[in-house]
Amino acid sequence: MRTQVAIIGAGPAGLLLGQLLHKHGIANVIIERQSADYVLGRIRAGVLEQVTVDLMEELGIGQRMRQEGLVHDGVELMFKGARHRIDFPSLTGGKTVMVYGQTEVTRDLMAAREAAGLQTVYEVGDSVRLEGFDGGNPVVRYRRGGQEHVLECDFIAGCDGYHGVSRASVPKGAIREFEKVYPFGWLGLADVPPVSEELIYANTERGFALCSMRSPTRSRYYVQVPLEEKVEDWSDDAFWNELRLRLDPEARERLVTGPSIEKSIAPLRSFVAEPMRFGRLFLAGDAAHIVPPTGAKGLNLAASDVKYLSDALVEHYGERSAAGLDHYSERVLRRVWKAERFSWWFTSLMHKFPGEGEIAQKLQEAELDYLVSSKAASTAMAENYVGLPL
Ligand code: FAS
Ligand code: PHB
């Protein structure tokens, strides 16, 4: 079998890249470890930057997002028991964000791919092997249905996430990895009406909490927990009781509790692999970088990566120019590191770090006090949260 671009991974990065390439007549095949249902079953990101919204619209798949998504003009920061709103349009020249779950983005992309009759090979497990990408004849080998398959291609896009095979296929000496692991995780829970119309990021002496949502009737709540804690240690009641202790009086009053539909503990890390290109192998999305979810950047970085990569591939095939491909890694990493910095800064500001003493809380509260009372500081927060320009 042969195609122009072999895409490893059918998460948001792989699916979005596949649609962008198809729009420009570039043939592509996606190879995915899991089943489509398994991919759709993962509950992850919830906030889309305008860049991501624009890509969905550019691909003509923004209709359900416009109908069901929630345009948000701001977020609230809660500290010292009071909430303070950061207004996006007045600080960023009119920008907003869209609350629309990653699951729904993935569902829309899968439907568009199927409607276009594009090939996605699901359930290949861990059989994928990448060969020849350091030369001119890359090959993807995989097993499915007890048979060995070979996919010849011009380029391989590694969109297979942090634990994928693509970054692991790069010779150790050719790649530099930068990592910071945070001493806590997020315990997430969903499915009751939200306490507020906008997201609430809470800094408290007990630790961080986030009140997010998926719709006017479906919430997504997170509390910071120590890394060593296990989901089974947290009953729904224990979660609701802890969340109550981390909310301001009004939100506590409005909190509606109920049974969780999904509960998981996600560890937090900052991670970047450099470069993001190895011959004819290009990394995009979580395969190359991870951010702590505080800044709601993970999914959005995956989207901007594949926008850069698809533009470069279109230029290669259309104008026979390698300029975009040759500058891909340098160009995309400049945006990645700015998002890494914002996500690290916001995580450091909002979370309780063990062993840093009471002064750490006072310093965080002072920075938050300054942030919400300074137009310059609020503008810096707002323009990073809504997403820096491409
Ligand atoms: P993904 O990990 O989504 O997709 C990679 C795909 O490749 C998967 O479908 C995987 O099955 C497949 N794959 C892996 N190895 C393979 C192999 N060897 N062969 C073939 N296929 C393979 N971001 C936010 O902005 N906000 C959040 O709240 C948020 N919460 C998160 C919670 C969790 C638990 C996790 C893990 C991530 C969260 N993220 C969040 C980040 C997340 O949304 C990612 O940024 C986003 O999924 C990135 O998309 P992809 O790069 O496509 O990677
Ligand atoms: C979510 O709704 O899952 C969400 C929203 C904002 C974040 C992280 C997660 O910063």
Side-chain angles (χ1 to χ4, degrees), residues 8-15 31-34 38-39 42-47 102 124-129 158-166 186 210 214 220 222 264-267 284-302:
I8 315 299
L15 289 165
I31 313 286
E32 164 60 45
R33 172 164 64 184
Q34 308 287 2
Y38 184 95
V39 175
R42 292 190 294 235
I43 296 184
R44 288 186 173 171
V47 174
Q102 174 171 324
V124 304
D126 287 320
S127 69
V128 169
R129 296 292 175 269
C159 300
D160 46 348
Y162 182 72
H163 299 289
V165 67
S166 297
W186 279 17
L210 170 61
R214 291 290 180 274
R220 180 91 172 130
Y222 299 92
S264 59
I265 293 185
D286 277 18
H289 43 71
I290 296 287
V291 284
T294 323
K297 291 291 161 237
L299 170 57
N300 294 296
L301 272 184

